[in-house]
Amino acid sequence: MPVSADEFREWLEGGSLSASPTALSALTGINRGTLNNQIRRGNVAESTVISVARATGMNVIDALSSFSPYQVIKSRPIEPSRAEILSQVHHADLMAELQFRTSKKHYPRELRKGIALIDFPHEGSVRAWIDAIDPGDIRHQMSQETGMALTYIATQLTENKLNPPLALAASRAGGGSFATGMVVTELISPAEGGWQVRSREDELLEVSDDVLVDTISARIHLLQRRVKQRREAHEYARKMTELLG
Amino acid sequence: MNPLSVVPVSLMLILLGSLTFKRINTPVTGYEHALRGKASSIALSGIFLTLAYVLLLPPVYIPVDSVMPVTNTTDLISKYFALIAVAFLGGHLSVAYASPFARRWTVGAPGAVMLGVVATGLLGTLLATNAPRPSPQLLDYAAQPSVRLNTWLVLAYVAYIVFPLIGPAYRDARKNPLRVGRLASGLIAGGFALSLARAFTYPIELGATGDVTYLFMIVSYISTAFVVIGLALFAYARRSRKTETELGSALSID
């Protein structure tokens, strides 16, 4: 759901910025031809708006919410929910926490001292976010709202990505923060999306045992699928290289 | 002797010969696997195709043809070698790409009948050609209808074999988990598509005169080179254990 070029021009004028592709290219570093194409076709990518906002020191949430598809962003809290934060913690970090809670003697927390959590997005992190906010039929609701096929959504999730309209639709269906969808899909940075610097570390320390175990259990299920897919890919590749190599 | 006919054949021979030699002569994993293992048909196909090209070189063609009962029988033998190579390749690829339809089509009863018809047709058209002097690929007599039919029979057989394999090769070019595997299958599919295109556009080729004729032949050389390089990439992937190195643990994020 890129924003319209007319709205984009108005927005630039409102900020006393030139709408010329050359000036915008110099400002943002985006290729002039790319900008020219976007403006000429009437569809400006969300990432372009965000680049302009960043280059001019504007708040990216304020910038995005100036455009009709994204005016809803500020209608809900910007900050992520606890479940959303936990969804962006890697399963290895979840399991490390499980070990720390299991035995201070065998797994002292100091072992982890000075080692940061695994960055997100990581493999499966977008799917984990969807699962964390899913009221039961989130994929159907996303498909209905955007008109995109369920198979396309599944493919996007397999590739660990969601385009902005799908991220927006997922947030709407899940009832969570609209900004978090954009953070999880890397459209905006965690800081821009209202995430505290150590929000994941704090959540990991505070999460209850049952939620921690349930989350690990769900992630193990996803991991089983991934390991199975890798095994099948391995067998297929080996077969082909043996037969043709 | 037109260099446009000799140079491409020589280049193809260098490519085919070197890759076939490499395939069957790599220490540890080469000889045993290539000639006795699961990929033996590929090595045999490479050997037959190399022999087909060797026979087309004038310094080989003319002495061999001098001992043949009928002039230009060497060309017929070269084409038979090429047909056998294509049949081996088609049958093997149909197994590798898991296509029972292609398997039946290439080396099942329909494939055997087609091979028999084309082989007989090649013999018949050679006998019907007025060719008193040795000429590799019968190029000196290319204007004769029997030679045109002779050439088309080879193109048609290759097209017949590759037709059911283009789809499976293209699918593998998209889904093979190894980058080198996708590239290899893409080259094979591209080579097959070129072979098919040349067979279908043969009527246009008949209208070509002079050196333009050689341009059409180059299409076949390029298509063969694509397929051969594609197969060599699979051999490279096996030798360098790409499956193990590229598809490591699904758990690792390093």
Side-chain angles (χ1 to χ4, degrees):
Chain A
M1 202 186 317
V3 303
S4 90
D6 290 339
E7 271 190 291
F8 183 63
R9 277 196 207 90
E10 279 174 32
W11 176 69
L12 289 172
E13 281 165 18
S16 305
L17 294 167
S18 166
S20 106
T22 309
L24 287 175
S25 175
L27 182 70
T28 60
I30 300 173
N31 181 282
R32 192 174 64 84
T34 307
L35 288 165
N36 202 24
N37 283 340
Q38 290 183 5
I39 293 169
R40 190 166 44 79
R41 288 178 188 156
N43 292 318
V44 177
E46 295 85 348
S47 55
T48 303
V49 174
I50 290 164
S51 296
V52 173
R54 281 175 184 159
T56 54
M58 259 185 258
N59 181 308
V60 294
I61 298 287
D62 290 343
L64 268 178
S65 57
S66 307
F67 297 91
S68 43
Y70 296 97
Q71 278 164 356
V72 291
I73 294 182
K74 288 161 89 174
S75 64
R76 288 185 187 165
I78 300 297
E79 296 75 22
S81 67
R82 294 183 64 185
E84 285 176 317
I85 293 172
L86 197 63
S87 77
Q88 298 308 294
V89 178
H90 194 273
H91 59 259
D93 289 326
L94 292 169
M95 285 189 252
E97 178 63 25
L98 179 77
Q99 290 180 322
F100 298 150
R101 292 187 190 188
T102 302
S103 167
K104 286 185 177 66
K105 181 181 155 199
H106 293 94
Y107 301 102
R109 218 171 260 284
E110 290 68 42
L111 279 176
R112 187 68 196 250
K113 207 171 179 185
I115 301 172
L117 293 185
I118 294 167
D119 287 335
F120 76 100
H122 44 69
E123 201 170 348
S125 61
V126 177
R127 193 191 296 275
W129 172 65
I130 291 285
D131 290 345
I133 61 170
D134 188 0
D137 59 347
I138 194 165
R139 288 165 179 77
H140 280 97
Q141 288 193 50
M142 288 161 69
S143 175
Q144 271 183 348
E145 182 177 324
T146 59
M148 295 178 201
L150 282 169
T151 49
Y152 177 73
I153 296 171
T155 307
Q156 289 254 301
L157 290 177
T158 303
E159 292 170 7
N160 202 39
K161 62 186 184 185
L162 274 185
N163 58 34
L166 281 174
L168 207 63
S171 296
R172 198 187 314 277
S177 152
F178 285 112
T180 297
M182 321 238 153
V183 171
V184 169
T185 55
E186 288 187 279
L187 194 60
I188 62 177
S189 71
E192 290 165 342
W195 289 51
Q196 298 302 313
V197 177
R198 289 184 52 83
S199 53
R200 292 190 309 150
E201 286 81 353
D202 293 345
E203 183 55 35
L204 202 50
L205 287 172
E206 287 166 19
V207 67
S208 64
D209 286 353
D210 56 338
V211 172
L212 179 67
V213 171
D214 284 349
T215 308
I216 290 173
S217 171
R219 297 292 186 84
I220 290 288
H221 181 66
L222 291 178
L223 205 54
Q224 281 174 325
R225 278 172 52 184
R226 199 187 311 154
V227 168
K228 186 176 169 223
Q229 283 166 356
R230 177 59 61 93
R231 193 187 66 235
E232 287 168 355
H234 199 279
E235 284 168 0
Y236 179 82
R238 179 185 278 276
K239 183 198 90 173
M240 292 304 285
T241 49
E242 282 294 315
L243 281 173
L244 298 177
Chain B
M1 195 177 302
N2 192 328
L4 286 173
S5 69
V6 179
V7 173
V9 170
S10 306
L11 292 175
M12 283 304 297
L13 191 56
I14 292 167
L15 179 73
L16 271 170
S18 57
L19 292 181
T20 304
F21 183 76
K22 174 82 177 165
R23 179 178 280 270
I24 61 177
N25 201 37
T26 303
V28 186
T29 54
Y31 165 73
E32 281 296 322
H33 178 81
L35 291 178
R36 294 184 189 164
K38 290 177 184 171
S40 56
S41 298
I42 303 278
L44 286 174
S45 177
I47 291 168
F48 276 112
L49 204 55
T50 307
L51 287 174
Y53 275 95
V54 166
L55 287 177
L56 291 180
L57 285 176
V60 178
Y61 189 93
I62 293 165
V64 172
D65 208 53
S66 66
V67 296
M68 291 292 166
V70 177
T71 314
N72 288 309
T73 302
T74 312
D75 183 72
L76 183 70
I77 294 170
S78 166
K79 282 171 178 157
Y80 281 171
F81 279 165
L83 296 190
I84 293 168
V86 172
F88 266 123
L89 183 67
H92 192 77
L93 286 182
S94 64
V95 174
Y97 288 133
S99 171
F101 168 71
R103 178 84 181 155
R104 198 171 62 251
W105 182 275
T106 53
V107 289
V113 170
M114 186 69 176
L115 183 61
V117 168
V118 171
T120 311
L122 288 176
L123 177 63
T125 49
L126 176 70
L127 294 175
T129 302
N130 178 22
R133 282 173 289 102
S135 171
Q137 301 187 72
L138 303 175
L139 285 172
D140 292 343
Y141 314 104
Q144 291 185 34
S146 58
V147 175
R148 290 178 167 188
L149 182 60
N150 182 287
T151 306
W152 183 78
L153 280 170
V154 176
L155 295 179
Y157 181 73
V158 174
Y160 172 86
I161 294 292
V162 303
F163 169 70
L165 290 166
I166 292 178
Y170 175 72
R171 277 194 289 280
D172 187 66
R174 305 211 40 192
K175 77 166 188 184
N176 195 304
L178 298 177
R179 231 173 316 159
V180 67
R182 289 194 293 277
L183 174 63
S185 280
L187 282 170
I188 292 170
F192 285 174
L194 281 176
S195 293
L196 199 62
R198 189 177 173 210
F200 275 108
T201 56
Y202 191 63
I204 300 170
E205 198 174 326
L206 294 178
T209 52
D211 289 348
V212 179
T213 315
Y214 295 108
L215 281 179
F216 289 98
M217 290 172 66
I218 285 173
V219 172
S220 286
Y221 295 139
I222 292 172
S223 80
T224 307
F226 276 11
V227 175
V228 167
I229 293 170
L231 292 170
L233 285 175
F234 272 117
Y236 161 75
R238 190 181 66 83
R239 280 198 308 271
S240 45
R241 303 174 62 80
K242 284 284 174 193
T243 309
E244 285 71 25
T245 54
E246 259 188 49
L247 302 174
S249 168
L251 302 179
S252 174
I253 61 165
D254 295 329

